[in-house]
Amino acid sequence: MLYIAEEKKKLGNDQYKAQNYQNALKLYTDAISLCPDSAAYYGNRAACYMMLLNYNSALADARHAIRIDPGFEKAYVRVAKCCLALGDIIGTEQAVKMVAELNSQSTAASGEQAAALKLRQLETTIQTNYDTKAYRNVVFYLDIALKLAPACLRYRLLKAECLAFLGRCDEALDIAVGVMKLDTTSADAIYVRGLCLYYTDNLDKGILHFERALTLDPDHYKSKQMRSKCKQLKEMKENGNMLFKSGRYREAHVIYTDALKIDEHNKDINSKLLYNRALVNTRIGNLREAVVDCNKVLELNNQYLKALLLRARCYNDLEKFEESVADYETALQLEKTPEIKRLLREAKFALKKSKRKDYYKILGIGRSATDDEIKKAYRKKALVHHPDRHANSSAEERKEEELKFKEVGEAYAILSDARKKSRYDSGQDIEEQEQADFDPNQMFRSFFQFNGGGGGRNNSFNFEF
């Protein structure tokens, strides 16, 4: 029996050297079944498991070999290597210590000893950064730690948690699912999966995962915290939406504002809360605040089309036409729809109109002014800005008043002519030639001749300055 076991071991060694580890594993297992009290066979199979990255099985075999032969130095070295790979610093240090006790001159575990010390230092750094929510740093140092301890599920899951906090939920989910394949009862893995759902606005599913983690581990503090936060956010979001739909905008504003304080890291939910609050602000006339909220949404997610369109509309209402056009152009790049194309055309038209002189404003009247109101406004403004009235002013002041006098005349010339007024009101350009040939003094004389005045210049009209 021993002879056959030895043959199996030799064949296993040949397969091991040829890197056929699965074949070697079967042969070592056959040898163990024939001779279960051989420490060497367990030691060999432990080495084989290590090459297959199955550190838990390797550790079990190495420790079994030690139980059979407490003086088996190689087995202690393998225990140290396995513990290190699994992130068990204490286990590594204890195994290294046993190697030194068996052979004070041995350097077989010196690499593991140095790596364990480095892991201790890294864990302190990782914890400090985690406590200060410096999650990018945590991920950076965990990557270093995982090179030393590649099979440490604790490190993997902590990295996944931090990736979720950073919004990299796809990466975090891949890690969590990978761990769950190895251990279906891992409360930490289920917690991380719930975290990913939470950060992608799947609150109901997130709550279910946190509750599942608590079923497996009733003292899982992080799951308790997140379940509470998840439920609170879900309730506040729903209440805010209900208040908005019922027209209770100011109450909805308060709810959305409070909800935004719950978790600064939840970019997905916060962007939606900010957009909802921006909508509320438009309903209560706070257009500038709505723009600020839309800015924050787009900082979190520059592809948020609804926020971009809402900001464009707010800019238009605030008469910031260039900004409105820019937003609609960006929106059209994101989604080429007939509706956005129409909105862009209208915004460009409004921009074009805004760059024209506002003749109504120049005369100080509203767009619904009657012909008589237009005439009265012209009479009043023309008398105020007529050059004769400012003959004794400085050259600079005379020039400014002459310009205003001309603008008043232009405004009247357009608004008193039904055809021109119609073209102007519809946003069409007035022919440049008509404006170039315009003489404000002739307009002034004609107006007062046909509206109860005299002729000529130099105070010959029936009015008093």
Side-chain angles (χ1 to χ4, degrees):
M1 192 75 72
L2 179 59
Y3 172 77
I4 298 174
E6 279 295 309
E7 286 299 311
K8 292 284 188 181
K9 174 194 167 186
K10 287 177 183 178
L11 290 171
N13 290 345
D14 292 339
Q15 291 297 311
Y16 183 91
K17 289 174 185 176
Q19 298 183 1
N20 298 322
Y21 301 118
Q22 289 290 355
N23 292 340
L25 185 68
K26 183 179 183 305
L27 290 164
Y28 290 143
T29 300
D30 290 343
I32 287 171
S33 64
L34 293 169
C35 190
D37 295 327
S38 171
Y41 296 170
Y42 281 100
N44 286 358
R45 192 170 72 173
C48 197
Y49 273 130
M50 287 171 65
M51 298 310 295
L52 292 168
L53 306 181
N54 186 345
Y55 294 103
N56 283 307
S57 296
L59 181 60
D61 273 359
R63 283 178 169 162
H64 194 80
I66 289 169
R67 282 195 290 272
I68 296 170
D69 179 5
F72 193 175
E73 182 182 339
K74 274 189 178 180
Y76 284 109
V77 173
R78 286 173 183 144
V79 167
K81 289 181 182 294
C82 290
C83 286
L84 180 66
L86 292 165
D88 180 358
I89 298 174
I90 294 174
T92 304
E93 291 171 338
Q94 288 174 343
V96 168
K97 182 181 177 182
M98 288 304 300
V99 172
E101 287 181 3
L102 290 171
N103 181 0
S104 60
Q105 302 301 313
S106 177
T107 59
S110 58
E112 285 66 40
Q113 184 177 23
L117 178 60
K118 188 172 182 179
L119 269 187
R120 276 201 180 279
Q121 295 167 342
L122 279 169
E123 285 199 356
T124 300
T125 303
I126 288 166
Q127 189 62 50
T128 299
N129 280 278
Y130 183 87
D131 291 342
T132 57
K133 298 183 179 180
Y135 299 121
R136 292 185 193 281
N137 291 346
V138 176
V139 171
F140 173 78
Y141 289 115
L142 278 169
D143 282 338
I144 297 173
L146 281 164
K147 288 179 181 177
L148 298 170
C152 181
L153 300 186
R154 180 166 53 90
Y155 291 167
R156 286 191 209 173
L157 290 172
L158 183 58
K159 177 182 176 180
E161 180 185 6
C162 292
L163 288 172
F165 288 145
L166 293 169
R168 295 160 62 181
C169 290
D170 289 343
E171 296 171 67
L173 190 59
D174 285 344
I175 294 172
V177 170
V179 172
M180 289 173 71
K181 288 178 180 176
L182 298 172
D183 181 4
T184 57
T185 63
S186 171
D188 286 337
I190 294 169
Y191 156 75
V192 169
R193 196 172 182 185
L195 206 59
C196 293
L197 291 163
Y198 164 74
Y199 279 117
T200 51
D201 197 14
N202 289 300
L203 297 179
D204 289 326
K205 290 183 179 179
I207 291 169
L208 290 175
H209 277 72
F210 297 135
E211 289 177 345
R212 170 65 177 155
L214 287 167
T215 300
L216 293 167
D217 179 4
D219 296 322
H220 201 277
Y221 177 70
K222 290 180 181 178
S223 288
K224 284 182 182 178
Q225 273 192 319
M226 288 309 304
R227 180 181 62 177
S228 174
K229 188 179 288 188
C230 213
K231 286 183 175 180
Q232 188 181 8
L233 252 180
K234 180 176 181 289
E235 182 181 351
M236 294 184 78
K237 186 181 175 187
E238 289 174 351
N239 285 344
N241 293 347
M242 181 271 293
L243 290 167
F244 178 83
K245 289 175 183 176
S246 62
R248 296 158 66 182
Y249 300 125
R250 296 191 182 278
E251 293 175 67
H253 190 284
V254 172
I255 292 291
Y256 289 139
T257 300
D258 289 342
L260 283 164
K261 297 174 185 175
I262 293 175
D263 188 352
E264 62 182 12
H265 296 291
N266 199 325
K267 293 182 180 180
D268 201 348
I269 289 180
N270 287 348
S271 61
K272 292 174 183 177
L273 290 170
L274 284 163
Y275 172 74
N276 288 352
R277 191 172 72 176
L279 276 177
V280 168
N281 277 319
T282 64
R283 295 295 195 277
I284 58 180
N286 294 337
L287 294 181
R288 287 180 175 80
E289 288 82 354
V291 168
V292 170
D293 279 343
C294 287
N295 290 342
K296 291 177 181 177
V297 174
L298 294 166
E299 285 173 11
L300 295 174
N301 178 7
N302 61 8
Q303 305 290 303
Y304 204 124
L305 183 60
K306 285 185 177 180
L308 194 61
L309 291 172
L310 180 60
R311 188 173 71 176
R313 194 179 84 200
C314 290
Y315 277 142
N316 184 76
D317 293 343
L318 289 166
E319 298 185 359
K320 293 186 175 183
F321 301 113
E322 289 185 358
E323 290 88 342
S324 180
V325 168
D327 274 354
Y328 281 128
E329 286 177 337
T330 303
L332 191 61
Q333 291 174 3
L334 294 176
E335 191 173 299
K336 290 179 170 58
T337 66
E339 176 63 13
I340 295 176
K341 288 179 181 178
R342 180 185 66 79
L343 291 169
L344 177 57
R345 284 196 304 272
E346 291 177 356
K348 285 182 175 179
F349 183 64
L351 173 60
K352 184 178 178 181
K353 284 178 66 176
S354 73
K355 290 183 176 180
R356 303 180 311 165
K357 291 179 181 178
D358 187 341
Y359 291 136
Y360 290 99
K361 187 175 182 180
I362 289 170
L363 291 182
I365 56 176
R367 290 185 173 271
S368 60
T370 63
D371 289 344
D372 283 342
E373 288 171 334
I374 291 171
K375 287 178 181 178
K376 288 178 182 178
Y378 172 67
R379 176 190 289 272
K380 180 180 177 181
K381 292 284 185 178
L383 293 176
V384 169
H385 298 297
H386 194 282
D388 287 352
R389 180 166 186 162
H390 303 280
N392 297 323
S393 300
S394 67
E396 185 178 343
E397 288 173 335
R398 286 199 305 274
K399 187 175 181 180
E400 183 179 345
E401 291 300 327
E402 285 174 6
L403 179 60
K404 289 181 179 178
F405 180 65
K406 183 179 179 181
E407 287 182 338
V408 168
E410 282 181 8
Y412 181 68
I414 299 300
L415 300 183
S416 63
D417 184 303
R419 181 183 65 83
K420 292 179 182 178
K421 182 176 183 296
S422 176
R423 287 173 60 81
Y424 176 78
D425 287 344
S426 65
Q428 298 180 54
D429 291 328
I430 305 299
E431 287 78 356
E432 290 184 6
Q433 186 60 41
E434 292 183 16
Q435 292 175 297
D437 294 342
F438 174 74
D439 183 347
N441 291 304
Q442 179 61 40
M443 166 63 68
F444 187 79
R445 286 192 293 271
S446 298
F447 178 84
F448 282 97
Q449 284 175 351
F450 289 105
N451 292 277
R457 192 171 166 142
N458 298 324
N459 297 327
S460 59
F461 303 107
N462 289 337
F463 60 81
E464 293 182 0
F465 286 122

